[in-house]
Amino acid sequence: MNLWESRIRYPDGQIAPYQQGPNWRHFKLIAEPIKREIIEGLTIEALGYNGVTPGPLIIVEQGDWVILEVENRTDKPNALHIHGLAKPNFQDGMPAVEPTPTIQPGQSYTYRFQAWQVGSFFYHSSEIFQITRGLMGPFIVIPKQEQIPEWYIPYYDYVMVLQQWEIPQPELGKVELGTFQINKFDKDPNFFTFNGKSFPNTAPIYTSYGQKIRIRFINKSNTSHSMHTHGHDFKVVAVDGFPRNDWMDDTIDVASGRRFDVELLSNNPGIWVVNGTKTFHQSNNGIAPGGMISRLIYENYTPKSP
């Protein structure tokens, strides 16, 4: 396995298995109805790939041929689009407006294309209101190992998919537990997740003093999400798969469809917040703290008394 690939982490998510040969990787995705518990006791009836939303993280090396079999177990025709990665027209996966194949319910189609560009991307259904119900997932292209020095590779590389959900609740400021159908139109979202979980059920990000870590923020929700790290500035190293080398910041606005890769040096030990800055997005239907909050935890750190 490529060293960089071994350092990629997808908290609360699954990494897609694959078969591999010379310059190719084969994956299978099954689009199907699922249930996803986003906080303890609250489950959504959603759509996902291979039983989860967001779907499994697909990792390939630059230059690989991707063989991607997609089976449609939903009740609507759909297709699969890889957002941001240019492909031949007939492999682009938007049949309502392009001459690309439609996958009927109960049928499969296998896409074949080359991953020519390094970067963070995502895949999603071509049926737009299946996306708001969860039918999307991350797609990462890493450099071939011989093309980069080892010092360039982050110690950990975290993938964070931003999603939002409109879930029926009796009133704002209260959370009713149970299993709920989500509103596919997503006009008034009231729950917000990292990799399918809301705080306090989000898995932390871990680091140790002196390590360089990368965080990839990926957004395909209806609204933008402003991401911030406490206690650390970071360098924006790529936007939408294109390198950036001189941009330091501590807060970025990740609009719908965009992907930001940031790197930070772990030089301030503690237990820190990584979060979306919009206040309602830091709640679960108005109960705070919740929503898009995670933690950056230094391993072997002992908190001091206030």
Side-chain angles (χ1 to χ4, degrees), residues 138 164 224 240:
Q164 62 186 40
S224 65
D240 300 338

Side-chain angles (χ1 to χ4, degrees), residues 18-285:
Y18 56 84
Q19 295 177 317
Q20 186 175 23
N23 298 317
W24 59 266
R25 294 190 183 193
H26 180 278
F27 301 86
K28 180 168 183 178
L29 294 175
I30 299 173
E32 58 189 345
I34 67 161
K35 292 184 179 181
R36 175 70 161 172
E37 186 180 63
I38 63 172
I39 58 173
E40 187 174 355
L42 193 152
T43 298
I44 57 174
E45 294 181 345
L47 296 175
Y49 290 102
N50 298 7
V52 292
T53 183
L57 169 60
I58 292 177
I59 305 171
V60 299
E61 288 187 341
Q62 185 179 24
D64 280 348
W65 281 90
V66 181
I67 304 168
L68 182 50
E69 180 184 357
V70 180
E71 181 180 348
N72 182 8
R73 295 185 186 174
T74 76
D75 60 356
K76 292 184 179 297
N78 63 29
L80 189 85
H81 175 67
I82 311 293
H83 179 93
L85 187 66
K87 302 166 293 300
N89 189 204
F90 75 101
Q91 295 289 279
D92 198 49
M94 297 298 289
V97 292
E98 299 173 343
T100 65
T102 297
I103 311 173
Q104 297 294 335
Q107 295 185 355
S108 299
Y109 179 76
T110 300
Y111 296 90
R112 293 176 174 84
F113 54 88
Q114 192 171 29
W116 63 274
Q117 180 187 357
V118 168
S120 300
F121 308 95
F122 59 85
Y123 58 87
H124 62 79
S125 171
S126 62
E127 210 286 322
I128 58 173
F129 294 123
Q130 289 187 336
I131 305 170
T132 55
R133 295 178 64 196
L135 214 49
M136 60 86 60
F139 186 103
I140 304 300
V141 184
I142 55 176
K144 287 193 176 295
Q145 189 157 309
E146 61 270 19
Q147 295 175 345
I148 51 172
E150 185 173 338
W151 62 261
Y152 183 79
I153 303 172
Y155 193 87
Y156 289 126
D157 185 343
Y158 290 99
V159 177
M160 304 289 280
V161 177
L162 318 180
Q163 290 172 288
Q164 62 186 40
W165 313 94
E166 186 175 346
I167 301 173
Q169 292 286 287
E171 60 181 296
L172 279 174
K174 293 185 178 180
V175 173
E176 179 181 339
L177 302 181
T179 300
F180 301 92
Q181 285 272 1
I182 54 180
N183 187 331
K184 69 178 183 179
F185 297 114
D186 191 32
K187 292 179 62 179
D188 298 300
N190 54 348
F191 288 82
F192 306 86
T193 55
F194 284 140
N195 296 343
K197 293 286 186 177
S198 298
F199 189 80
N201 295 97
T202 50
I205 294 172
Y206 292 98
T207 189
S208 292
Y209 186 83
Q211 292 175 351
K212 177 182 70 174
I213 65 170
R214 178 177 291 215
I215 307 174
R216 302 173 188 252
F217 295 108
I218 297 174
N219 184 20
K220 178 48 182 167
S221 67
N222 275 339
T223 58
S224 65
H225 298 285
S226 182
M227 294 293 110
H228 173 64
T229 55
H230 287 219
H232 300 79
D233 299 328
F234 52 70
K235 178 184 290 187
V236 178
V237 294
V239 178
D240 300 338
F242 297 99
R244 301 287 192 272
N245 295 314
D246 57 356
W247 180 358
M248 294 297 299
D249 218 322
D250 65 18
T251 306
I252 51 173
D253 189 51
V254 187
S256 179
R258 306 210 74 182
R259 298 88 61 206
F260 279 73
D261 296 7
V262 306
E263 285 186 350
L264 60 86
L265 180 63
S266 303
N267 59 4
N268 193 5
I271 300 174
W272 299 99
V273 172
V274 177
N275 66 289
T277 66
K278 296 182 179 181
T279 52
F280 190 61
H281 296 188
Q282 299 172 12
S283 77
N284 299 324
N285 195 44

